[in-house]
Amino acid sequence: MMISVVVPLYNEEENIDDLYARLTASLSALPHDYELILVDDGSIDATPALLEKVRLTDPRVKVINFRRNFGQTAAFAAGFDHAVGEVIITMDGDLQNDPDDIPKLLEMIRDNDIVSGWRKQRKDPFISRKLPSKIANWIISRVTGVPLHDYGCSLKAYRKNVVKNLRLYGEMHRFIPAVAKWYGVRVAEVETRHYPRLKGVSKYGISRTIRVILDLITVKFLLSFSTKPLQFFGPVGLLSSLSGFFISLYLTADKIIGGRDIGGRPLLLLGVLLIIVGVQFIGMGLLGEMMVRVYHESQNKPIYVIRRLNGIEAE
Ligand code: UDP
Ligand code: MG
């Protein structure tokens, strides 16, 4: 079995030599071939030069240099695109993850398609990192229906065919297990070790939580409704329009039968608003339906995923 290890690096000059040494020690003890894909995410320190030095000493090291900083998700995506191993391992380049946990992941990947690390004893600041992350993990688990304790853990193992078909955007690398579940893959979790960052600085603050929540909305929407947007917008739109219609009907009756003035009543505004908003929602759903058709039919994208064909010739 061939293993590809993908590590994103953004201004990690102080960590590269240790990282390479630790990874090499853990990986060479395994009975597998491996490659190390180090992705320099547009670093502006000595990272690119140090990576090149490492690469020249070891043919198993491959380096991808981004033109500018595209972010961790993009770095993972580039690594996935160029990895040749049957199993792809991702981890952070700041040695907060432990390369010695890799065998544990490989053990579990035998019966699973994704194995996700769980930093049970996480060594990060509580208020700014651990607490928001706890809440985010709880929300993500509830919303996506894929319960994991630690979506944010970079140390994960994937089977090649899982990641080769994924398209990642935004902060989406953390949602791969949830997205992949849609494809029907088996996801497992193992406890992994975690260490405080000893060298260099963290690239993220609390603002990431907000971006993660926004990405969660995208993921949830795409997972549940990407092939049937009108099913999502339609009910809301209908409910809104109908309530607006009945409110207006009541006001009309009040005017004609009761002879009361309705021009200055707040209810009139509400009725009109509900009708307009409802029509907008239905319109949005219909536009969505058009886009779904354009998306799938122009690129011949199926709306299903097949595990295997039995007795049918694949073209
Ligand atoms: N990273 C990256 N691009 C970025 C930000 C971070 O490649 O734009 C890398 C970074 O070098 C590290 C990993 O992603 O290897 C995790 O980043 P960091 O340690 O800053 O995140 P934290 O552990 O604080 O969540
Ligand atoms: Mg870190």
Side-chain angles (χ1 to χ4, degrees):
M1 187 166 73
M2 168 89 180
I3 298 167
S4 302
V5 178
V6 176
V7 185
L9 297 149
Y10 179 48
N11 295 343
E12 301 285 3
E13 57 183 5
E14 290 141 298
N15 288 310
I16 288 172
D17 290 335
D18 278 354
L19 175 77
Y20 171 70
R22 298 270 311 274
L23 269 170
T24 307
S26 313
L27 290 167
S28 50
L30 293 171
H32 308 291
D33 280 341
Y34 70 88
E35 62 173 353
L36 219 62
I37 303 184
L38 305 175
V39 187
D40 156 39
D41 185 10
S43 301
I44 48 171
D45 64 354
T47 300
L50 290 170
L51 289 180
E52 189 57 15
K53 221 173 79 197
V54 170
R55 187 183 72 84
L56 292 174
T57 63
D58 186 344
R60 288 168 301 196
V61 173
K62 292 155 190 183
V63 176
I64 299 172
N65 290 106
F66 279 1
R67 276 188 183 271
R68 64 167 175 85
N69 180 236
F70 283 96
Q72 207 181 340
T73 296
F76 282 133
F80 294 159
D81 288 342
H82 294 92
V84 297
E86 277 111 83
V87 172
I88 299 171
I89 309 250
T90 57
M91 62 175 257
D92 281 352
D94 55 359
L95 287 169
Q96 288 197 266
N97 299 128
D98 193 334
D100 288 337
D101 282 328
I102 292 176
K104 217 159 141 189
L105 295 180
L106 292 174
E107 188 64 37
M108 294 282 286
I109 200 84
R110 285 201 208 150
D111 312 312
N112 292 286
D113 300 298
I114 296 181
V115 179
S116 179
W118 170 15
R119 300 165 289 180
K120 201 167 181 184
Q121 313 275 317
R122 188 168 168 187
K123 303 292 191 315
D124 274 323
F126 181 77
I127 294 290
S128 65
R129 304 301 297 274
K130 286 201 310 201
L131 182 69
S133 143
K134 256 204 154 61
I135 300 171
N137 281 312
W138 183 82
I139 299 177
I140 298 171
S141 297
R142 293 299 298 267
V143 171
T144 61
V146 183
L148 287 183
H149 291 92
D150 193 2
Y151 269 92
C153 183
S154 291
L155 186 57
K156 290 190 169 88
Y158 307 91
R159 279 184 188 282
K160 179 174 69 187
N161 53 5
V162 171
V163 293
K164 287 286 179 187
N165 297 316
L166 287 179
R167 288 278 146 257
L168 304 175
Y169 304 90
E171 287 279 307
M172 226 136 283
H173 62 269
R174 68 185 58 242
F175 294 113
I176 295 176
V179 175
K181 197 83 188 183
W182 184 88
Y183 292 90
V185 309
R186 291 157 300 178
V187 181
E189 196 171 41
V190 293
E191 280 175 36
T192 55
R193 282 161 285 193
H194 193 244
Y195 304 95
R197 189 189 252 277
L198 296 176
K199 293 176 187 158
V201 290
S202 172
K203 311 299 181 291
Y204 301 104
I206 196 158
S207 71
R208 179 164 62 174
T209 314
I210 298 161
R211 281 180 281 155
V212 166
I213 294 298
L214 290 174
D215 274 342
L216 172 65
I217 298 176
T218 314
V219 167
K220 174 64 188 172
F221 178 72
L222 290 178
L223 284 181
S224 317
F225 305 108
S226 64
T227 54
K228 40 182 191 313
L230 191 57
Q231 303 291 329
F232 175 70
F233 290 110
V236 190
L238 279 182
L239 195 75
S240 174
S241 295
L242 279 179
S243 340
F245 174 76
F246 284 114
I247 288 173
S248 308
L249 200 67
Y250 160 74
L251 286 175
T252 312
D254 213 27
K255 166 88 185 170
I256 294 174
I257 302 165
R260 274 182 288 272
D261 220 5
I262 61 168
R265 294 173 66 175
L267 207 54
L268 180 66
L269 216 60
L270 180 68
V272 173
L273 188 73
L274 285 175
I275 292 176
I276 293 177
V277 167
V279 171
Q280 294 274 10
F281 265 101
I282 293 170
M284 220 139 51
L286 287 170
L287 280 177
E289 291 285 334
M290 303 266 288
M291 290 178 67
V292 167
R293 282 159 182 69
V294 170
Y295 174 78
H296 285 277
E297 287 168 27
S298 64
Q299 305 178 73
N300 290 321
K301 292 223 193 261
I303 57 166
Y304 51 80
V305 187
I306 293 173
R307 192 190 301 280
R308 74 182 84 78
L309 288 171
N310 293 325
I312 301 173
E313 291 289 317
E315 296 156 37

